[in-house]
């Protein structure tokens, strides 16, 4: 069992006083240049901003919003909010104005940090004109008071501000695959327990290096990257943009690298575009050449020094996991939720099992309910949903277990396999239940496919909506390429149908050409499918597709 007396603020003061001159944050500022923050400088700027926030004389425990892509100032703003006695409310930097307005109002935000954003004009209408806003150096042009001016003109907050373990630290608004996002209340004790547990499990040290690029508004990045660095004293690097991503990874030379399934698949497609799988298979069988090729590929991805690679947020197909293992990179899947600081299960090196999300982390209790739902309990479990006692009661069992909404099973070593979302399951017209995730994972093994959504409620059999990978999509105008892809998808459908029960057999695969993106609301900010949006987009086509009685149809 983990026990810790160290809360996040305690660690900031610890590193400030013990390794204050060591580099902590490396922030790209364009043209290959970086701005570097030592622990002492980062703490000093946070103290100055905290003094400014306190001068606003807001009620204790007020919410302060934070809307920005990942950057050094995001982390320092988080610290400043805590030092000033307030609650941080991260907001995804890709949300539309309506959702921004909802979160700011629901969380009762009194002020807002505005930082690095790609489309501020889209989001700006969601920010009330009366909201007190502070802009980061990387923010779009605004009339707001700036971070640098405040740091220059404000004396730092002296001493060590203490916050109680049970105090509300942050409101994390779920990315919301359906409906309005919920405000998950996490205490300082919740955050501390998850950070300590991750450190203990992964064997982290001050010598690690990480690149922070997945949204810090998501609890997965916050827990393992922001709090991981805070609890271990290691250096964090940030990415400047998608165009510079490879250079940013190369600069960081990370020893730990976390990503989400869609990006691991994109990395794989990028490699296979330069070196087809058949050629790669041949080279990997030649003893001396094999090691050189593996090293070249991983170095090309900037992952040559990675000792631990993780994937989370959604399931990764078994074939992709096996592919990375063939290169000597053991991708470890983990499992968690906003409601438990992403602290639940993780595969361990040498003990991982493909298709499973791993063993319960230290201090986590798990059980499977009578209807197959995974129930989780630990000191990382949330305080509840903000201003929603009814939903909190619905989500928690009487004895304090979190109802995850995921169906699952445990093997003899206690490793957890997720078999689908209870709310995603649907019935065919024959009354049989379909768990779409299992079918989607089988289809995602095909390297021509980037994303899949299995649907078909109230039909005789399910069908699959498929988005081809971004390298193939432009080639679909060529009849020869299209015919080849259709034959490949026909064979894939037959292969899947041979492996599943009769009621799970796919009626057809529908190839769609629309972009599934965050911007058009097909994906959440963490790149999960919004099933209701995807299904609604093609609802009018479905009956016609079934009537065609083809195994592959084109939208």
């Amino acid at each position: 069992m983990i026990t810790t007396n160290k809360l996040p603020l305690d660690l900031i003061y610890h590193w400030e006083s013990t390794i204050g001159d060591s580099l902590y944050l490396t922030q790209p500022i364009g043209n290959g240049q970086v701005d570097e923050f030592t622990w002492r400088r980062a703490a000093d700027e946070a103290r100055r901003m905290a003094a400014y926030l306190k001068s606003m004389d807001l009620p204790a425990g007020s919410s302060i919003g934070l809307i920005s892509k990942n950057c050094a100032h995001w982390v320092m703003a988080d610290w400043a909010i805590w030092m000033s006695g307030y609650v941080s409310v991260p907001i995804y930097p890709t949300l539309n104005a309506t959702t921004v307005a909802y979160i700011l109002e629901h969380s009762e935000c009194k002020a807002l940090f505005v930082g690095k954003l790609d489309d501020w004009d889209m989001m700006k209408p969601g920010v009330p004109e009366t909201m007190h806003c502070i802009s980061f150096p990387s923010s779009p042009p605004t009339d707001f008071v700036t971070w640098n001016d405040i740091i220059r003109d404000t004396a730092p907050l002296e001493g060590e501000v203490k916050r109680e373990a049970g105090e509300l630290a942050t409101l994390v608004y779920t990315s919301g695959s359906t409906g309005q996002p919920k405000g998950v209340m996490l205490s300082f004790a919740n955050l501390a327990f998850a950070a300590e547990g991750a450190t203990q499990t992964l064997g982290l040290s001050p010598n690690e290096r990480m690149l922070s690029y997945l949204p810090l508004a998501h609890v997965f990045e916050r827990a393992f990257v922001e709090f991981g660095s805070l609890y271990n004293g290691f250096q964090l690097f940030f990415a400047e943009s998608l165009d510079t991503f490879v250079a940013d990874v190369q600069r960081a030379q990370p020893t730990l690298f976390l990503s989400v399934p869609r990006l691991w698949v994109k990395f794989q497609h990028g490699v296979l575009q330069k070196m087809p799988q058949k050629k790669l298979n041949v080279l990997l069988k030649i003893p001396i050449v094999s090691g050189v090729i593996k090293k070249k590929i991983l170095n090309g991805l900037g992952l040559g020094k990675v000792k631990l690679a993780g994937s989370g947020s959604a399931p990764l197909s078994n074939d992709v996991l096996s592919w990375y293992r063939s290169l000597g990179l053991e991708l470890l899947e983990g499992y968690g939720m906003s409601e438990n600081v992403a602290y639940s299960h993780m595969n361990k090196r040498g003990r991982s099992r493909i298709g499973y999300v791993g063993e319960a982390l230290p201090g986590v209790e798990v059980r499977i309910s009578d209807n197959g739902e995974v129930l989780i309990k630990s000191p990382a479990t949330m305080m509840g949903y903000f201003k929603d006692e009814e939903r909190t009661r619905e989500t928690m069992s009487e004895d304090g277990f979190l109802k995850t909404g995921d169906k699952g099973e445990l093997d003899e070593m206690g490793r957890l396999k997720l078999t689908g979302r209870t709310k995603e399951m649907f019935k065919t017209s024959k009354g049989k239940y379909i768990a779409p995730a299992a079918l989607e994972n089988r289809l995602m093994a095909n390297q021509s496919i980037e994303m899949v959504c299995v649907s078909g409620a109230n039909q005789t059999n399910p069908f699959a909506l498929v988005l081809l990978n971004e390298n193939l999509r432009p080639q679909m105008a060529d009849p020869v390429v299209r015919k080849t892809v259709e034959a490949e998808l026909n064979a894939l459908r037959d292969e899947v149908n041979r492996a599943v029960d009769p009621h799970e057999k796919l009626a057809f695969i529908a190839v769609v050409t629309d972009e599934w993106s965050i911007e058009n609301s097909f994906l959440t900010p963490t790149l999960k499918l919004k099933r209701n949006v995807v299904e609604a987009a093609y609802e009018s086509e479905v009956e016609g597709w079934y009537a065609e009685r083809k195994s592959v149809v084109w939208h």
Side-chain angles (χ1 to χ4, degrees), residues 169-180:
T170 188
L171 286 175
V172 174
Y173 279 81
T174 58
S175 52
S177 55
T178 57
Q180 292 283 21

Side-chain angles (χ1 to χ4, degrees), residues 295-444:
K295 192 172 182 179
K296 184 178 180 181
I297 291 173
L298 292 178
N299 284 339
L301 291 170
L303 305 180
K305 294 187 177 174
V306 168
K307 67 178 188 182
L308 183 72
S311 182
S313 184
L316 190 60
S317 86
N318 296 347
D319 287 67
V320 175
L321 286 167
S322 298
W323 186 84
Y324 278 102
R325 280 192 178 185
S326 75
L327 299 177
L329 192 67
E330 186 180 11
L331 266 185
L332 299 177
E333 283 196 284
Y335 168 66
M337 303 169 67
S338 300
E339 287 84 348
N340 54 25
V341 201
Y343 186 83
S344 176
H345 285 69
M346 188 184 296
N347 274 302
K348 297 177 182 176
R349 280 173 288 192
R351 294 169 61 89
S352 63
R353 179 178 177 183
I354 286 180
Y356 286 70
V357 293
E359 301 167 55
L361 289 165
V364 172
E365 297 177 62
V366 58
R367 70 180 185 218
I368 308 297
S369 72
D370 293 341
N371 69 348
E373 185 177 11
V374 180
L375 306 179
I376 304 288
K377 183 180 183 180
S378 84
T381 304
M382 66 173 180
M383 301 165 74
Y385 295 118
F386 188 57
K387 297 196 296 194
D388 199 340
E389 291 183 13
E390 182 180 350
R391 189 170 283 179
T392 301
R393 282 194 297 272
E394 289 172 0
T395 307
M396 302 299 299
S397 71
E398 289 185 6
D399 55 350
F401 277 80
L402 176 68
K403 300 175 185 176
T404 65
D406 288 305
K407 295 180 80 71
E409 54 194 46
L410 298 168
D411 73 1
E412 70 286 349
M413 287 177 61
R415 292 173 297 202
L416 175 65
K417 181 179 184 178
L418 299 177
T419 55
R421 291 283 295 165
T422 54
K423 291 179 182 176
E424 287 176 357
M425 294 184 74
F426 60 85
K427 269 187 184 180
T428 65
S429 60
K430 299 171 185 174
K432 296 282 191 179
Y433 278 103
I434 302 291
L439 288 166
E440 288 163 358
N441 282 345
R442 290 181 182 275
L443 292 164
M444 280 296 294

